[in-house]
Amino acid sequence: MEKLSRNSRVVAITKLLLENPNKILGLNQFSDLLNAAKSTISEDIVIIRELLEKLEMGRVETISGAAGGIKFIPIIGYEKGNKFALELCDLLKDDGRVIAGNFIYVTDVMYNPQIIGKAGVILSSCFKNMDIDYVITVETKGIPLAYEVARNLGVQLVIARRDTQVTEGPTVTINYVSGTSGRLQQMSLSKRSMKPSSKCIFIDDFMKGGGTAQGIKDLLKEFDSELVGIGVLIDNKQVEKKLVDDYVSIVELNSVDKSSIIEVQPSEMFS
């Protein structure tokens, strides 16, 4: 392969880092791919690190040791995160978003790649210093957000189901109580989904009474595993007493009045 210019190498290295968040990439990999000495690659990485930090797009960390290299950690700066939360609040206040049963329609939000991509970076940043083995969620609307968080943390996504599926093989099923209605519900997880003694975070679209999060916590105990964090896009503050209290959210839903006017604001992480 012919020698590439520094600009070309910087573009190529940046692309590989962005495509592999939280994955260690060795300097030999870049050296072989770009036909450049490791010392040259190291100089290129200095440029990339400074630029990404200046633009508040993420951080490039150096991992020492025989199996070392560099890894990219996605980050959104405070101002950009706050701006995103405010824009999300404006979107949630759109007319007609309150539907029958006083529910808030969020399907369009949860399946919008631009919105969920940024939300995934914000939530993954809250857990970046934890030694996480899996991100877990419950089907279905929370899956895109949970996937983005798992991708940013460089770990596998695990999905608990409301109903057992033959294609899942042997499963563990538990009953749990809804935090708002008090009704008994079920969730199941394939026995092949995760290794025992794992540390997990639960990611979901909406936090109501915390029943689902508590159910996930109980389900993980059946795998001798631990729930070490909870992150949601929207926290329903109308439900004051929740079954869990240690969680983070991006926006807070304060009220929905009789005129279907929604009061929502950025969460405490932006205060």
Side-chain angles (χ1 to χ4, degrees), residues 46-261:
V46 171
I47 296 172
I48 296 169
R49 177 184 287 116
E50 293 176 351
L51 181 59
L52 291 177
E53 290 184 359
K54 183 177 181 180
L55 297 177
E56 296 185 325
M57 294 175 63
R59 188 171 70 247
V60 178
E61 290 189 352
T62 300
I63 311 299
S64 58
I70 59 171
K71 68 177 180 179
F72 170 68
I73 300 175
I75 294 174
I76 288 181
Y78 174 83
E79 291 185 5
K80 290 182 179 179
N82 187 52
K83 179 182 178 182
F84 167 77
L86 289 170
E87 291 173 347
L88 179 58
C89 289
D90 290 340
L91 180 60
L92 292 172
K93 293 176 183 177
D94 284 351
D95 292 338
R97 194 166 284 280
V98 180
I99 57 179
N102 215 34
F103 292 104
I104 299 177
Y105 181 79
V106 295
T107 302
D108 60 327
V109 173
M110 296 308 299
Y111 293 106
N112 184 310
Q114 285 71 40
I115 293 175
I116 295 306
K118 292 178 181 178
V121 174
I122 292 173
L123 289 180
S124 64
S125 297
C126 298
F127 307 105
K128 66 180 183 297
N129 294 323
M130 295 183 178
D131 187 16
I132 303 298
D133 297 302
Y134 299 95
V135 170
I136 186 169
T137 192
V138 179
E139 58 180 2
T140 56
K141 286 203 296 291
I143 293 176
L145 179 58
Y147 171 81
E148 287 297 322
V149 174
R151 178 179 179 275
N152 291 332
L153 293 175
V155 299
Q156 183 177 329
L157 172 63
V158 173
I159 301 172
R161 296 185 178 274
R162 303 290 187 183
D163 300 305
T164 57
Q165 300 287 330
V166 175
T167 54
E168 294 292 290
T171 60
V172 174
T173 301
I174 66 162
N175 296 322
Y176 70 99
V177 179
S178 168
T180 49
S181 68
R183 291 181 299 180
L184 198 63
Q185 296 179 311
Q186 279 190 343
M187 69 171 67
S188 64
L189 188 62
S190 171
K191 291 183 178 180
R192 298 173 62 91
S193 294
M194 66 171 63
K195 60 187 179 183
S197 304
S198 295
K199 292 183 179 180
C200 307
I201 58 171
F202 172 55
I203 301 295
D204 207 3
D205 60 324
F206 210 85
M207 170 72 77
K208 295 180 184 176
T212 302
Q214 183 60 47
I216 288 290
K217 189 174 182 179
D218 293 339
L219 181 59
L220 288 175
K221 289 179 181 178
E222 299 296 322
F223 290 80
D224 295 321
S225 295
E226 181 184 5
L227 183 64
V228 298
I230 302 170
V232 298
L233 185 70
I234 305 169
D235 177 21
N236 188 349
K237 288 295 186 180
Q238 296 175 107
V239 182
E240 295 182 1
K241 293 185 178 180
K242 291 181 167 60
L243 298 180
V244 295
D245 53 17
D246 187 14
Y247 63 92
V248 294
S249 66
I250 295 179
V251 299
E252 299 174 349
L253 171 65
N254 294 318
S255 66
V256 180
D257 66 18
K258 295 180 180 179
S259 302
S260 297
I261 296 177

